[in-house]
Amino acid sequence: MSLGTSGPRTLRSRALGAAALAATTALVLTGCGGGGDSEEGGDGDSVRIGIKYDQPGLGYQDGSEYTGFDVDVAKYVANELGYAEDQIEWVQAPSANRENMLQNNQVDMIFATYSITDTRKESVDFAGPYFVAGQDLLVTADNTDITGPGDLEGKNLCSVQGSTSAQTIKDDYAQGTNLVEQTGYADCLGALEAGNVDAVTTDDIILAGLASTDANRGKFKVVGNTFTEERYGVGLPKGSDQCAAIGEAINKMVDDGDWEKAVTDNTEGADYQYNTELNPPTAADGCA
């Protein structure tokens, strides 16, 4: 068998090939944004941020553009952590999937009207809050009869299927409210404009975002009488070491005036004022 000079050369080639493969694998893992580098903030190639794609004024996808208050806060925080805007990888984060996405390393953080609750804190961490929302009502711009949930006795109230918001009003404020369910909030606003319902209910800033779209601007108003508290936080994997840095970024955004500008820009035309007793919030020093 003639191995003479070809044996060492073959072994050397294999060694070089293995080294090249290892280097390539390391680069691929680093670029995924889910490894240790990206978690340190700014050292990785990108950061994966979960947002809603279908909530105007909060998290909304229009082609390659992403807009909304959640998006603006996410961009600001990412920049403070060392990520330029072109290093952000936006990922759709539906409400039902948020905990799983964080636990399965599909995203690094989530800004998606994600209310901080004790139950959720058992499986994920939260930084923030960056906004305190509250359940409210949306009515037509010329409505003067409805100023709070108690005025809904005998009136038609719309919310989406699966939401508990309308039932809360019926149980706690006006037992005679007639509940009307639609598949989405756009359908509720259509029913409101047509006069088939008297009000729509969900979180105040969600209502403001819906009312601020080009198609709806000037037609509706948020009543401005919140009756629950929903602390929107930044969802993070359990055990994250990023809570303090994100909280610091949120507080800086408030101090800079960029937080106020983000709220105003994303609710323009909705005749909306957030609850000034609860906002702007102060983010916690650590995990919320």
Side-chain angles (χ1 to χ4, degrees):
M1 222 165 28
S2 178
L3 292 176
T5 56
S6 64
R9 192 175 297 120
T10 302
L11 292 174
R12 194 180 306 115
S13 298
R14 288 175 178 171
L16 290 172
L21 178 60
T24 302
T25 302
L27 284 171
V28 170
L29 290 175
T30 300
C32 285
D37 284 345
S38 71
E39 291 177 359
E40 291 301 320
D43 294 335
D45 291 335
S46 65
V47 60
R48 302 161 304 165
I49 299 180
I51 58 170
K52 296 289 184 66
Y53 278 13
D54 58 355
Q55 279 190 338
L58 286 152
Y60 190 75
Q61 180 194 29
D62 183 7
S64 61
E65 296 294 317
Y66 300 89
T67 59
F69 176 67
D70 284 350
V71 173
D72 288 345
V73 177
K75 288 178 181 177
Y76 189 99
V77 169
N79 184 69
E80 289 298 307
L81 295 179
Y83 294 99
E85 190 170 329
D86 61 4
Q87 290 178 290
I88 298 174
E89 178 187 343
W90 301 109
V91 182
Q92 186 175 18
S95 295
N97 299 349
R98 291 175 298 198
E99 282 86 47
N100 286 337
M101 292 179 73
L102 288 167
Q103 291 173 323
N104 296 332
N105 193 33
Q106 294 173 264
V107 291
D108 299 305
M109 56 187 74
I110 290 178
F111 294 73
T113 60
Y114 202 3
S115 296
I116 302 168
T117 68
D118 289 339
T119 299
R120 288 172 177 161
K121 285 163 66 174
E122 293 176 2
S123 54
V124 302
D125 282 341
F126 286 97
Y130 62 88
F131 190 83
V132 182
Q135 188 176 339
D136 209 329
L137 303 171
L138 189 74
V139 297
T140 55
D142 59 355
N143 185 293
T144 58
D145 297 332
I146 299 173
T147 60
D151 296 327
L152 292 171
E153 192 72 33
K155 292 185 168 57
N156 298 323
L157 174 66
C158 190
S159 191
V160 298
Q161 293 172 356
S163 170
T164 60
S165 300
Q167 190 63 48
T168 296
I169 291 176
K170 187 175 179 68
D171 291 344
D172 299 339
Y173 296 95
Q175 293 182 356
T177 303
N178 303 312
L179 304 186
V180 178
E181 287 191 335
Q182 298 286 354
T183 55
Y185 285 111
D187 296 326
C188 278
L189 266 66
L192 181 59
E193 184 177 8
N196 296 327
V197 299
D198 300 289
V200 181
T201 189
T202 188
D203 291 356
D204 59 339
I205 195 167
I206 295 177
L207 293 172
L210 291 164
S212 67
T213 63
D214 290 341
N216 295 324
R217 190 167 297 181
K219 296 179 180 178
F220 309 106
K221 66 180 179 182
V222 182
V223 167
N225 184 7
T226 57
F227 45 95
T228 66
E229 286 186 25
E230 303 292 339
R231 299 164 64 236
Y232 290 171
V234 183
L236 298 165
K238 195 68 177 174
S240 172
D241 61 358
Q242 294 294 296
C243 289
I246 293 173
E248 185 177 331
I250 292 168
N251 290 334
K252 182 179 178 183
M253 186 179 185
V254 171
D255 293 340
D256 286 350
D258 289 350
W259 182 94
E260 181 76 31
K261 183 177 186 302
V263 175
T264 302
D265 288 351
N266 288 293
T267 60
E268 186 177 359
D271 193 13
Y272 169 69
Q273 174 59 59
Y274 56 78
N275 187 328
T276 56
E277 293 182 4
L278 302 175
N279 289 290
T282 300
D285 292 335
C287 292

